[in-house]
Amino acid sequence: MDSAQAEQDAWGAMMKAVQPIEMAVQGQALHPRAGDLSYPIFQLQRCTQCKRCTEECPFGSLDEDEKGTPKLNVYRCRRCGICMGACPERIVSFKNYSIDIIASMIKSIEVPEEDEEKPRVLILACENDAYPALDALGQRRLQYDLSVRIIPVRCLRSMNIVWIADALARGFDGVLLLGCKFGEDYQCHFVKGSELAKKRLENVAETLQRLQLETERLRLVEMPINEWGTLPAVIDNFVQKVREIGPNPYKGL
Ligand code: SF4
Ligand code: SF4
């Protein structure tokens, strides 16, 4: 990096830092992209104290009582929804973001019949990097396969496995998950959200095998925002793979 680039980079870093500093002064956490300002709601009557939500919360926002029941600390919570995706009892939700809301969105998507020979592919895209990358394609009028239908999610780890199971049971031919880059140079806004989603997918692959569905019908791709130009090829390659596999046998059942 030369001195002009370094100056530009430093300006960018400073602008990014302004918002968290202002919020920290007020004693609050920052969530720049979520329009929903509600905090997670726990229906604790059905809580089994399994502690998955407290273990997966990247910000240590969930304390526990002596029995292991989660207790939310709102000043640490960044409303990422990872606790919602982690809870096996599905008892965590937000006012404007819940398992039922996304499930209803998936149900409202039209799925062509097998004899129409048109695949239908669901994309669940993290709203932080993958969805803006899709926006960038739209602004430049770049095209990708028309079979896809896109639903933004707050973080890929806020995804509940039931969404994938429902989509495949309804005859979707494939599900593509677009999350942030993880690992050493991670870009995930919630530190390890997309990495946790990938780990969770290993269990889903087993479920697909039990249903005798090809595991290739499901793919997770890390989508760094600066690599948005590669996205049409990522989507087209996945849809092409789904076409080669053939229609989902659960279509029309
Ligand atoms: S929404 Fe995110 S930060 Fe808040 S408690 Fe749940 S996992 Fe933790
Ligand atoms: S993941 Fe769900 S069931 Fe488990 S402790 Fe948290 S709220 Fe309770």
Side-chain angles (χ1 to χ4, degrees):
M1 201 182 276
D2 61 24
S3 58
Q5 286 170 326
E7 187 183 350
Q8 197 179 19
D9 202 57
W11 268 99
M14 187 186 74
M15 294 310 289
K16 266 193 161 185
V18 165
Q19 221 177 354
I21 291 169
E22 279 183 353
M23 296 301 276
V25 168
Q26 295 167 31
Q28 293 191 21
L30 172 75
H31 192 296
R33 282 188 58 81
D36 174 11
L37 295 180
S38 70
Y39 289 97
I41 303 157
F42 293 74
Q43 289 177 6
L44 289 175
Q45 311 88 305
R46 286 173 37 219
C47 176
T48 58
Q49 285 97 19
C50 72
K51 303 186 184 184
R52 285 200 203 164
C53 55
T54 47
E55 281 162 12
E56 291 206 14
C57 172
F59 305 105
S61 314
L62 294 167
D63 298 326
E64 289 165 4
D65 69 9
E66 59 288 351
K67 284 194 205 150
T69 312
K71 286 166 67 180
L72 178 68
N73 182 329
V74 290
Y75 290 117
R76 284 194 227 132
C77 177
R78 296 199 189 184
R79 310 180 189 102
C80 62
I82 289 177
C83 49
M84 185 177 107
C87 178
E89 300 298 318
R90 297 181 215 147
I91 59 172
V92 185
S93 61
F94 295 76
K95 268 189 194 159
N96 295 328
Y97 186 59
S98 70
I99 293 167
D100 284 349
I101 288 173
I102 301 293
S104 301
M105 290 167 82
I106 294 170
K107 277 197 192 109
S108 71
I109 296 172
E110 181 248 339
V111 179
E113 296 295 334
E114 188 175 344
D115 55 10
E116 293 181 65
E117 296 185 359
K118 285 192 216 155
R120 178 63 75 232
V121 168
L122 175 68
I123 294 184
L124 296 176
C126 165
E127 68 175 12
N128 293 295
D129 276 11
Y131 205 67
L134 286 159
D135 270 347
L137 299 185
Q139 283 163 7
R140 288 158 184 81
R141 301 189 186 280
L142 296 176
Q143 296 193 348
Y144 46 84
D145 198 290
L146 297 175
S147 317
V148 302
R149 297 293 180 269
I150 300 160
I151 296 180
V153 293
R154 196 170 285 190
C155 167
L156 208 48
R157 184 56 188 108
S158 69
M159 163 194 72
N160 196 287
I161 300 306
V162 79
W163 297 338
I164 297 173
D166 279 1
L168 292 170
R170 281 200 60 231
F172 279 82
D173 300 286
V175 180
L176 179 61
L177 306 169
L178 297 178
C180 299
K181 181 170 161 30
F182 54 82
E184 213 164 287
D185 297 323
Y186 72 87
Q187 292 183 2
C188 178
H189 293 63
F190 303 120
V191 189
K192 55 180 182 177
S194 54
E195 190 173 0
L196 287 168
K198 179 143 197 251
K199 282 191 190 146
R200 187 84 171 110
L201 274 196
E202 284 156 17
N203 302 342
V204 187
E206 283 169 24
T207 309
L208 290 183
Q209 280 167 337
R210 270 206 305 278
L211 292 170
Q212 299 194 318
L213 282 173
E214 300 79 2
T215 49
E216 292 91 345
R217 289 188 188 276
L218 181 63
R219 187 181 291 175
L220 184 148
V221 174
E222 296 170 57
M223 192 65 245
I225 183 82
N226 52 326
E227 293 178 20
W228 56 268
T230 62
L231 201 41
V234 166
I235 295 172
D236 292 350
N237 288 345
F238 180 66
V239 178
Q240 180 55 31
K241 182 71 195 169
V242 167
R243 282 183 210 274
E244 285 166 22
I245 299 169
N248 178 346
Y250 288 91
K251 221 179 257 291
L253 291 183

